[in-house]
Amino acid sequence: METKNDTETHIRGLFGPNPTLWTLFMFLHFIIAGVFLIFSRIAYSDYVLKNSRTFDFIVIGFMVFAWFLLYYITKQIRENGHDQMTELETLFLKIIAS
């Protein structure tokens, strides 16, 4: 809340994700998906050539783990901000009602 003058107050609120954090998570998702697809193709090539695919499957498994980790982190961030969002909405509705 920012006071403009004695009788006016400007209310600012963000009811959504932080754009910078959202962009970072999307960037990480694209990197993980790209690495997953690249190593899936490499694993297929190694299968056709009858080479060892152990490292390829390790990287693919790590990418799946990283996807689940990003999902868990985003759920935690959302849950941590939910109480603050509810409090801000309650205050906003109280101000508008008066």
Side-chain angles (χ1 to χ4, degrees), residues 21-39:
L21 187 62
W22 183 84
T23 304
L24 170 71
F25 275 97
M26 291 307 298
F27 181 71
L28 291 174
H29 276 284
F30 285 125
I31 288 175
I32 290 171
V35 171
F36 180 86
L37 289 174
I38 289 169
F39 274 89

Side-chain angles (χ1 to χ4, degrees), residues 10-23:
H10 187 82
I11 301 172
R12 292 180 184 252
L14 177 64
F15 283 97
N18 182 345
T20 306
L21 187 62
W22 183 84
T23 304

Side-chain angles (χ1 to χ4, degrees), residues 2-78:
E2 299 173 354
T3 304
K4 288 190 149 199
N5 56 37
D6 291 338
T7 60
E8 291 184 32
T9 301
H10 187 82
I11 301 172
R12 292 180 184 252
L14 177 64
F15 283 97
N18 182 345
T20 306
L21 187 62
W22 183 84
T23 304
L24 170 71
F25 275 97
M26 291 307 298
F27 181 71
L28 291 174
H29 276 284
F30 285 125
I31 288 175
I32 290 171
V35 171
F36 180 86
L37 289 174
I38 289 169
F39 274 89
S40 296
R41 291 176 184 148
I42 292 172
Y44 176 73
S45 297
D46 285 341
Y47 171 74
V48 169
L49 296 172
K50 304 210 184 316
N51 293 337
S52 174
R53 298 172 300 277
T54 306
F55 179 71
D56 303 331
F57 287 131
I58 289 171
V59 173
I60 289 169
F62 182 71
M63 291 302 109
V64 171
F65 173 74
W67 262 325
F68 282 112
L69 184 64
L70 281 178
Y71 176 75
Y72 177 75
I73 290 170
T74 55
K75 291 287 281 185
Q76 284 301 112
I77 289 173
R78 187 171 25 174

